[in-house]
Amino acid sequence: MTIGFTIRPRKAKVDATLAARFAALPVANVSDSMSRMTAAGTRLRPYHAHGKVLSGAAITVKTRPGDNLLVHKAIDMAEAGDVIVVDAGGDLTNSIMGEIMVYLAQEKGVAGFVINGAIRDADEIRESGIGMFAAGVTHRGPYKDGPGEINVSVSIDGMVVNPGDLILGDCDGVLCVPCEEVEGLITLAEAKQAAEVKEIAAIRDGSVDRSWVDKLLNDRGVQYLD
């Protein structure tokens, strides 16, 4: 085995029906339901059309900064609805991909990309309709030499992503839900969303109960000074 050049099979992935249910929820509410312990950092920002929600099973790629050889292979391996997650070290010197690779991915039915690195052809990517999160943009193109690995664990700003995990993304950022936690979490997240909808309705009709604010302050011994 050549160290740094490995391609593994994906042994499991999140069910597409569950991914679709998560797509109807704000990422913030799913994050709250995970105790606000998981995030991919604020550097990853959306580079797609406004309102696009990304939800699908991860194919993971770990590559050296500025090189996209294994990203090309991941596109060839992808299944419809997948999200290709690329850990390129967060380097912004060279782009990892541009419009040509996006069009290839769209032909495979790829839902989108999460790039811990840079992209280029930002306007064309936005117009393509594919989901795209990246750390930045540069016109300088990538190399195609490797090394790199596919379907290994990657970490983006402390958020661990394993092959097959659920990747969610909206205007607030990117979140990974471990595959084994998806079924339990969807119930919590949908309940969180329902509670929030109810609270917003109470705000609108003037019936919202704000007594909890003073209760918490009093419990903490707040002093009101003249």
Side-chain angles (χ1 to χ4, degrees), residues 68 71-79 84 97-111 113 128 130 144:
N68 72 3
V71 184
H72 275 278
K73 181 59 178 176
I75 292 173
D76 291 343
M77 293 171 59
E79 299 173 354
I84 298 176
M97 63 179 297
E99 63 175 326
I100 297 298
M101 294 175 72
V102 162
Y103 300 149
L104 287 168
Q106 286 184 309
E107 289 300 311
K108 297 295 296 289
V110 171
F113 292 84
S128 75
I130 202 166
K144 294 176 175 60

Side-chain angles (χ1 to χ4, degrees), residues 176-198:
C176 174
V177 181
C179 193
E180 65 273 14
E181 297 178 11
V182 166
E183 289 193 20
L185 184 62
I186 188 62
T187 302
L188 295 175
E190 288 177 338
K192 170 72 175 174
Q193 174 68 0
E196 190 168 283
V197 169
K198 183 178 180 181

Side-chain angles (χ1 to χ4, degrees), residues 36-121:
R36 302 165 182 161
M37 291 289 289
T38 302
T42 56
R43 294 184 72 210
L44 293 182
R45 302 309 307 158
Y47 286 91
H48 49 245
H50 179 72
K52 176 76 175 181
V53 176
L54 187 60
S55 181
I59 288 183
T60 60
V61 180
K62 186 175 180 63
T63 186
R64 74 178 179 96
D67 193 285
N68 72 3
L69 177 59
L70 273 293
V71 184
H72 275 278
K73 181 59 178 176
I75 292 173
D76 291 343
M77 293 171 59
E79 299 173 354
D82 283 344
V83 178
I84 298 176
V85 181
V86 182
D87 178 12
D91 182 76
L92 304 180
T93 306
N94 295 81
S95 63
I96 293 298
M97 63 179 297
E99 63 175 326
I100 297 298
M101 294 175 72
V102 162
Y103 300 149
L104 287 168
Q106 286 184 309
E107 289 300 311
K108 297 295 296 289
V110 171
F113 292 84
V114 175
I115 309 292
N116 188 21
I119 59 169
R120 65 178 181 179
D121 304 326

Side-chain angles (χ1 to χ4, degrees), residues 151-194:
N151 285 332
V152 295
S153 297
V154 299
S155 177
I156 301 175
D157 202 25
M159 185 181 77
V160 177
V161 182
N162 288 305
D165 285 350
L166 176 65
I167 300 298
L168 296 173
D170 65 14
C171 61
D172 285 334
V174 178
L175 177 66
C176 174
V177 181
C179 193
E180 65 273 14
E181 297 178 11
V182 166
E183 289 193 20
L185 184 62
I186 188 62
T187 302
L188 295 175
E190 288 177 338
K192 170 72 175 174
Q193 174 68 0

